[in-house]
Amino acid sequence: MDKKIANLYDAGKVDNAIHLLIKKINNHPKNIENYLQLSTYLIEQNSADQALELLEKARGLVDQPEALTYNIAVCYYMQGDFAKSLALHNSIPDDEETMYQKSLIFMKLGQYQKALAYALTLKNQDERTLELIGDIWLSLGDLKAANQTYSKILEDQRNAKVNFLLGLTLFDTNPDEAENYFKLSKEQDPKYFAQAQKQYNAVAKLIRGKNGRN
């Protein structure tokens, strides 16, 4: 990875970083690191189609095209082609990132037990992983486990979604505390909160149904 370009990207100069990487790729078309760095940035900018086009082009140019597989699989995931993404992930050795992605895919496919199995085996139980595990427990209708998992995320690392879902897990048992979390969520991201509120009734009904409640 080119650290100077990475520093530019991290400083918010995304267009400059992307332009410099394109220039490097044109000058050194067989250097795989440039493709990996640029495709990662495009993925982070939600330009999965562009990233996939770049990686498909790179496969015919670099000496080790298999090293591009993970990023290609992430592109397919972002495009909603979960089966193709999973097949690619299954073709490469499991590591932390691959298992995290597999958990995400199984979650999207509604195979929550498989998603949970992969997520729980991750050694790095950071806020990203804890949020995913909480989401899976919530999808399984286990409000207590979801609450316990979301609560492990440090307060200053909880985004509007996590705070909203913490409120959701407490809505029936501790409505006052739930309202505090909803208030936090609204303060952090009013737009997300408004969308989440609209979805709340459907989500709550689904969870109660899974718990055998009316």
Side-chain angles (χ1 to χ4, degrees):
M1 179 179 283
D2 187 309
K3 288 186 178 179
K4 286 184 179 178
I5 293 177
N7 288 339
L8 268 179
Y9 181 83
D10 292 340
K13 297 178 179 177
V14 175
D15 290 342
N16 287 0
I18 288 173
H19 176 74
L20 287 172
L21 279 169
I22 291 170
K23 191 175 178 181
K24 285 190 75 173
I25 286 169
N26 289 336
N27 292 334
H28 307 283
K30 291 178 74 70
N31 186 322
I32 195 168
E33 291 302 322
N34 295 327
Y35 292 107
L36 288 170
Q37 190 171 359
L38 178 54
S39 63
T40 297
Y41 292 165
L42 290 171
I43 287 166
E44 288 177 359
Q45 297 300 314
N46 292 315
S47 299
D49 293 351
Q50 283 181 274
L52 186 58
E53 187 180 337
L54 172 77
L55 292 165
E56 291 292 358
K57 174 189 168 187
R59 283 172 86 172
L61 297 169
V62 300
D63 294 329
Q64 293 180 302
E66 64 276 6
L68 301 167
T69 303
Y70 174 81
N71 281 30
I72 293 172
V74 173
C75 290
Y76 282 128
Y77 170 82
M78 291 180 68
Q79 291 177 332
D81 195 336
F82 305 127
K84 196 174 280 190
S85 181
L86 183 60
L88 284 174
H89 280 302
N90 284 336
S91 74
I92 54 180
D94 274 339
D95 59 17
E96 290 282 293
E97 282 302 317
T98 306
M99 288 193 292
Y100 177 83
Q101 284 294 325
K102 282 183 180 180
S103 182
L104 278 177
I105 292 166
F106 283 124
M107 172 101 172
K108 290 287 188 182
L109 292 171
Q111 297 179 35
Y112 303 124
Q113 293 292 353
K114 279 189 177 180
L116 187 63
Y118 275 105
L120 291 176
T121 57
L122 293 169
K123 292 175 184 174
N124 184 19
Q125 297 284 307
D126 58 8
E127 65 272 13
R128 180 184 73 158
T129 302
L130 290 169
E131 184 176 333
L132 173 59
I133 294 170
D135 292 349
I136 297 167
W137 281 124
L138 198 60
S139 298
L140 287 165
D142 193 330
L143 299 187
K144 186 177 179 183
N147 177 270
Q148 288 172 344
T149 307
Y150 290 135
S151 296
K152 289 178 185 174
I153 301 172
L154 297 176
E155 286 186 27
D156 62 352
Q157 293 178 339
R158 293 175 191 165
N159 56 29
K161 176 197 159 192
V162 170
N163 279 318
F164 182 87
L165 294 177
L166 272 167
L168 187 63
T169 62
L170 293 168
F171 193 74
D172 284 341
T173 56
N174 193 336
D176 290 339
E177 192 175 352
E179 284 301 327
N180 288 333
Y181 282 118
F182 290 147
K183 187 180 176 184
L184 270 174
S185 176
K186 188 176 182 180
E187 287 172 358
Q188 285 176 291
D189 190 339
K191 189 176 177 181
Y192 167 82
F193 181 79
Q195 291 172 340
Q197 256 195 326
K198 285 179 185 176
Q199 295 168 355
Y200 168 70
N201 285 335
V203 173
K205 188 177 179 182
L206 179 68
I207 291 167
R208 285 169 181 164
K210 287 183 178 178
N211 283 323
R213 295 170 58 183
N214 296 320

